[in-house]
Amino acid sequence: MIDSHCHLDHSPLYEKLDQIVNRAESSGVECLLTISTTLRSFEMIKRIILKYKNIYGSIGIHPHETKDHINVDKKKLILLRNENNKIIGIGETGLDFYYQNSEKLIQKKKFVEHIEAAIDLDLPIIVHSRNAEIDTFNILKDFSSRNPKILMHCFTGSSDFLEKMLNLGAYISLSGIITFNKSKELQKTASLVPIDRLLIETDSPYLAPMPKRGSANEPSFIKYTANKLAEIKQISYENLIVYTSNNFYKLFSLNQ
């Protein structure tokens, strides 16, 4: 299995990272992608990927944090990425109009700069979208002629949004939210994701799946999401793992 999106630099994971990684490996997780949200986050991620062979990282500023990272532009992102070839994606970036911790215009500007950096580097763009389906799609559509590699992280959108993103060539990553009892509509939408565009993630330490809901999430819990998704897609657990792992390696241009 591959956890395509986790935050190993966040508490309480970082403080006991050896244990977290060992449990993940014991559960069948062979590779992890730990995601940058701030410049401080990125510095911690560099230390993590240096220590662990099977962990990769990204460089990006979460939409919540854009107001405090005005000077992190396209050139800065490219410079930071080129410090380390284990940085394999740009993000987490995108739009979050639910909390609006940063102004919409700032979020949009930084989202565009992240997309441009990803295209120039030929790396996937890891996209967060909440209460912002129209703007997220329209911004990405503007770059469609340049064929960006898009990964929609922790997808919880509508079936219409899914169709639009798939038409842009996006890959779709699903989290433990699909295991929640109240996620019936999302489960229906998840069933529509083509198997060759599907990834899984934990978004740990957040969004622990059933039956671990209420506790801090960790990469070893991804097996619960995989099991539920196999049920939704009506394929075996083993095949689900093969497809989602192959999709990850293909999207991020990694050798298996």
Side-chain angles (χ1 to χ4, degrees):
M1 283 179 290
I2 295 175
D3 187 350
S4 67
H5 193 112
C6 55
H7 298 280
L8 299 179
D9 61 298
H10 290 202
S11 293
L13 304 184
Y14 188 73
E15 291 79 6
K16 48 185 179 181
L17 200 49
D18 284 342
Q19 298 173 45
I20 295 295
V21 173
N22 286 338
R23 283 199 291 269
E25 291 174 344
S26 296
S27 297
V29 179
E30 65 181 24
C31 182
L32 303 94
L33 177 55
T34 185
I35 304 296
S36 170
T37 55
T38 64
L39 287 186
R40 179 177 179 274
S41 169
F42 181 62
E43 291 303 314
M44 298 171 74
I45 284 169
K46 286 193 294 183
R47 293 196 288 272
I48 293 170
I49 63 177
L50 179 64
K51 182 177 180 181
Y52 300 97
K53 183 180 179 180
N54 63 334
I55 300 179
Y56 293 86
S58 71
I59 171 62
I61 307 300
H62 192 285
H64 288 338
E65 310 292 341
T66 50
K67 65 181 184 299
D68 298 321
H69 292 77
I70 300 299
N71 294 327
V72 181
D73 57 10
K74 168 186 163 181
K75 291 182 179 179
K76 179 70 170 178
L77 290 166
I78 292 174
L79 180 65
L80 290 172
R81 185 274 164 185
N82 286 336
E83 292 177 357
N84 193 310
N85 62 9
K86 285 189 75 180
I87 301 300
I88 60 173
I90 301 297
E92 170 176 1
T93 183
L95 305 174
D96 193 313
F97 296 163
Y98 182 81
Y99 288 111
Q100 292 192 48
N101 289 348
S102 293
E103 293 179 8
K104 289 184 179 181
L105 288 178
I106 295 174
Q107 291 188 46
K108 290 180 180 180
K109 183 176 186 295
K110 293 300 158 186
F111 186 24
V112 167
E113 290 170 354
H114 279 69
I115 297 169
E116 290 176 338
I119 292 172
D120 286 357
L121 290 164
D122 193 28
L123 294 177
I125 182 83
I126 301 160
V127 180
H128 171 115
S129 181
R130 188 171 187 190
N131 284 37
E133 290 188 359
I134 294 173
D135 289 284
T136 299
F137 171 70
N138 285 338
I139 289 173
L140 287 166
K141 184 179 66 172
D142 286 343
F143 290 91
S144 60
S145 64
R146 298 174 66 186
N147 298 313
K149 300 175 180 178
I150 304 167
L151 174 55
M152 298 304 299
H153 135 72
C154 193
F155 189 86
T156 56
S158 65
S159 57
D160 178 65
F161 184 47
L162 172 65
E163 182 179 3
K164 289 179 177 178
M165 295 312 304
L166 291 173
N167 287 338
L168 291 181
Y171 285 71
I172 308 297
S173 181
L174 294 165
S175 71
I177 294 176
I178 64 167
T179 70
F180 298 173
N181 293 330
K182 294 183 178 180
S183 294
K184 301 302 182 185
E185 194 62 34
L186 178 60
Q187 292 168 8
K188 291 179 183 178
T189 303
S191 71
L192 303 175
V193 181
I195 196 67
D196 62 349
R197 299 279 196 90
L198 190 59
L199 278 75
I200 51 175
E201 65 172 88
T202 59
D203 203 15
S204 53
Y206 314 104
L207 303 176
M210 299 293 288
K212 299 291 186 177
R213 195 173 183 187
S215 60
N217 199 6
E218 61 178 80
S220 64
F221 295 170
I222 199 168
K223 60 188 176 185
Y224 300 110
T225 300
N227 188 63
K228 183 64 178 181
L229 191 52
E231 175 189 316
I232 291 169
K233 296 297 290 181
Q234 298 183 333
I235 62 175
S236 71
Y237 178 85
E238 291 76 16
N239 281 343
L240 188 281
I241 299 306
V242 169
Y243 278 113
T244 55
S245 297
N246 287 344
N247 293 341
F248 176 88
Y249 287 121
K250 180 180 179 181
L251 175 62
F252 287 97
S253 301
L254 294 174
N255 295 323
Q256 297 190 44

